[in-house]
Amino acid sequence: MRCSTDTNDGDGSDRTDGSGGRRYFDESAVAWLVGEAVRHLHGEGKEAELYYQRAIELLRGQKDATEAIVRLAQQVDRDDTGVRWSLLHVLGDVSHAQAAGYLVESALARLPEHDQSWPQKSRQPDKWKICS
């Protein structure tokens, strides 16, 4: 997302350009259903749990669910661990036998190196610049 302080509309407002964002779950109906499962996986309360279980139940009935989830997992940035973990969680809960290979491959994959300077980098004032 880019900050833009230029206002061509003359209203003086700040705005952000969200065109840099990826919409992983819009490529197909199955991908949308995977997105719903991910959303409800992190929901709170009994209702979210019921919606999650329903999404998983519907995904189990889709022959191409495993292929869609694996494709989404491969598209997600390696640094986006929350989405990647969520997709692995959904993939495991869908319980298609053909998912086993990808789940094992993911479990055995080398983790990225830890960036030792991360805490210092995150405290830099310009890192959290807000449009003004």
Side-chain angles (χ1 to χ4, degrees):
M1 191 177 296
R2 294 187 324 243
C3 287
S4 172
T5 55
D6 298 331
T7 56
N8 295 330
D9 53 10
D11 68 359
S13 65
D14 294 336
R15 59 181 181 271
T16 59
D17 176 11
S19 61
R22 304 267 323 256
R23 297 183 58 98
Y24 300 112
F25 305 113
D26 288 347
E27 79 176 35
S28 69
V30 174
W32 177 85
L33 189 53
V34 172
E36 288 298 293
V38 167
R39 182 168 69 96
H40 293 298
L41 171 65
H42 300 291
E44 186 177 325
K46 294 267 187 217
E47 189 172 87
E49 186 176 332
L50 289 172
Y51 284 134
Y52 176 73
Q53 291 302 325
R54 180 64 177 145
I56 294 300
E57 179 183 326
L58 291 170
L59 284 167
R60 284 181 182 147
Q62 300 294 317
K63 291 186 294 185
D64 61 339
T66 296
E67 180 184 323
I69 297 168
V70 169
R71 185 173 48 253
L72 288 165
Q74 292 170 340
Q75 291 174 359
V76 172
D77 292 334
R78 185 149 177 81
D79 294 340
D80 200 344
T81 55
V83 174
R84 292 173 58 80
W85 179 90
S86 297
L87 290 168
L88 289 174
H89 190 107
V90 169
L91 185 61
D93 284 349
V94 169
S95 303
H96 286 176
Q98 62 267 35
Y102 186 76
L103 290 170
V104 168
E105 179 184 311
S106 296
L108 297 176
R110 185 172 180 83
L111 295 173
E113 294 297 322
H114 177 67
D115 183 357
Q116 297 294 331
S117 64
W118 179 78
Q120 291 78 26
K121 284 183 180 177
S122 66
R123 292 189 184 116
Q124 294 176 355
D126 63 336
K127 192 78 167 172
W128 301 103
K129 184 176 180 181
I130 298 175
C131 295
S132 57

